[in-house]
Amino acid sequence: MAVQGELAGRVALVTGASRGIGLAVAEALGGAGAAVCVTARDPEGVDRAVAGLRDGGVRAIGVAGSVADPAHLRECVAGTVRAFGRLDVLVNNAATNEPRGPLMDIDPERWRAAFAVNVEAPLRLVREAWRAGMREHGGCVVNVCTEAATHVAPHLGAYTTSKAALLHLTRQLAGELGPLVRVNAVSPGLVRTEMARFAWSGGSGEAGSGDAGGSGEERAAGLPLGRIGEPADVARAVLWLVSDAAQWVTGTDLVVDGGTGVRRAQVP
């Protein structure tokens, strides 16, 4: 775990950071001393996030827009460098879990749109960060994936397949950008976010849940740690991956799922 002030002097860019995991990551990085640029589609949400960070003593700016727009991605990186002079940490958190449904029924255009957000946008941002200075002074990239990328999730094939691609992209970039830039992934299980509300509030199946049906509490009962995740659980993992404590870690996937892949042992 990073200590307070460990990221002092460093600058981070976090996508999808107006709420949920992205906002928790921005708060964690800012709390460790980093200056932070937050981006998300909702301008009001971005403004609220920036105001909250600044109230907490964090140097922060916001750039609203869609990660599916290459011009927005260029402006995110350029704006971060203009404001803070450099970019050291990139967290690709923005994602979509649409379209949902059987793959045989999904419109190809919507399939491509999912990959544009979940795979292409992270690659574009890494390229922008690399060209903006990471290839000279180094840095850290964390891609937020999902533990469901390793198995089948009903009705979420576009999401889980695109996240599986992002996992491999993480490994590929780690191999290409080392030793100066470390690239890792963090894969949450079911986390209490708005994006996953239909799952933890009792929907039928969700990426990261590991099973289908039932409320979040019912699913959590089968986990070794006995609860579903909170955004801060994932943020702490990201903070460790970008800290000096993880300076010999790259190309890895840190699963943060309360033990979804283990399950609680059945005791007679």
Side-chain angles (χ1 to χ4, degrees), residues 11-16 36-41 46 61-84 86-87 89-90 92 94 121 124-125 128-129 132:
V11 178
L13 168 60
V14 185
T15 69
V36 182
C37 174
V38 300
T39 180
R41 289 176 297 174
V46 169
I61 63 168
V63 183
S66 170
V67 296
D69 178 7
H72 168 65
L73 302 181
R74 290 192 294 271
E75 177 54 29
C76 285
V77 173
T80 301
V81 174
R82 282 197 304 269
F84 303 121
R86 58 189 291 130
L87 177 57
V89 175
L90 171 61
N92 286 306
R124 286 183 179 273
L125 265 177
E128 294 294 333

Side-chain angles (χ1 to χ4, degrees), residues 74-236:
R74 290 192 294 271
E75 177 54 29
C76 285
V77 173
T80 301
V81 174
R82 282 197 304 269
F84 303 121
R86 58 189 291 130
L87 177 57
D88 305 284
V89 175
L90 171 61
V91 181
N92 286 306
N93 170 69
T96 178
N97 59 12
E98 299 286 347
R100 301 176 195 166
L103 293 185
M104 296 301 99
D105 298 333
I106 290 177
D107 179 80
E109 288 300 321
R110 298 190 70 199
W111 167 271
R112 283 191 283 271
F115 275 75
V117 171
N118 295 347
V119 186
E120 183 178 333
L123 175 58
R124 286 183 179 273
L125 265 177
V126 172
R127 285 175 174 170
E128 294 294 333
W130 174 258
R131 294 164 181 167
M134 280 193 181
R135 63 181 160 190
E136 284 82 32
H137 61 69
C140 298
V141 176
V142 176
N143 296 321
V144 179
C145 296
T146 172
E147 63 86 23
T150 61
H151 59 79
V152 174
H155 305 294
L156 287 168
Y159 176 73
T160 56
T161 304
S162 62
K163 287 295 190 175
L166 181 59
L167 277 176
H168 188 72
L169 177 64
T170 299
R171 293 187 287 266
Q172 184 70 30
L173 288 172
E176 292 189 10
L177 303 186
L180 282 178
V181 177
R182 296 191 295 107
V183 186
N184 291 293
V186 60
S187 287
L190 181 59
V191 176
R192 201 184 308 273
T193 65
E194 194 61 32
M195 181 176 172
R197 174 177 289 276
F198 76 94
W200 55 259
S201 65
S204 57
E206 162 63 17
S209 69
D211 54 1
S215 68
E217 287 69 24
E218 290 170 337
R219 297 177 191 184
L223 298 180
L225 297 185
R227 65 175 177 87
I228 65 173
E230 301 294 340
D233 293 315
V234 184
R236 285 188 286 269

